[in-house]
Amino acid sequence: SYPSEGGHAAFAPTSPRQIDLLTYWLKRMEHVSYERLCSGLGIPNIYRFLSDSGDYDEPEWLREALVEAADPTPVIVGAAVEETAEICVQTLDLFMEILGGEAANLALKVLATGGVYIGGGIPPRILPQLESGQFMDVFCSKGRFSEMMATLPVYVIRNPKVALFGAAYEVLRATDDK
């Protein structure tokens, strides 16, 4: 375990589409972090970039659902998983590409040979897409370290209370040490 605020690190694009995404958001915000793109809060930002690109149609039913939604993320993810709107599928693909790249970067930085644990609200909802999509392709694609990356297990944390359990464990451990 390595305490971190790594989500606030600057986003580093690795493909032409990601470069366009970064350029788009740099015009709109001072600091483009991974958290702004690679989180539940970031999915609408990726969607907006793709929508404003004009490359994808936004179906009327989707536009209405997004306007009515208090949180657009479940609407976008749901349409991506159900494959009912190409713009949502592309949003999720780009999200997984960014997540896979950053998870691999972190695994390399700390040599996480025991595996990588992915948390948050989105990964448990997209398990099939993570297993078969962009995520694992990008995660394993690390040049001369690709073979090693393919051997690292990737786990998705499914319990939404895991952070509370971890905090409780640390408090109990600190109490035991006294």
Side-chain angles (χ1 to χ4, degrees), residues 102-166:
E102 182 60 2
N105 287 342
L106 292 171
L108 284 170
K109 288 175 185 178
V110 299
L111 201 56
T113 56
V116 173
Y117 292 79
I118 308 289
I122 302 300
R125 293 190 251 171
I126 60 169
L127 283 173
Q129 290 78 14
L130 287 173
E131 293 173 345
S132 64
Q134 293 279 36
F135 176 84
M136 287 308 298
D137 292 342
V138 173
F139 183 84
C140 294
S141 182
K142 287 297 178 184
R144 62 184 181 180
F145 285 91
S146 294
E147 190 174 312
M148 181 196 79
M149 295 303 290
T151 68
L152 297 184
V154 177
Y155 305 99
V156 172
I157 300 169
R158 298 172 74 161
N159 187 327
K161 295 183 179 179
V162 73
L164 293 174
F165 293 146

Side-chain angles (χ1 to χ4, degrees), residues 170-178:
E170 288 299 320
V171 167
L172 290 172
R173 190 174 72 137
T175 305
D176 286 346
D177 290 344
K178 290 183 178 179

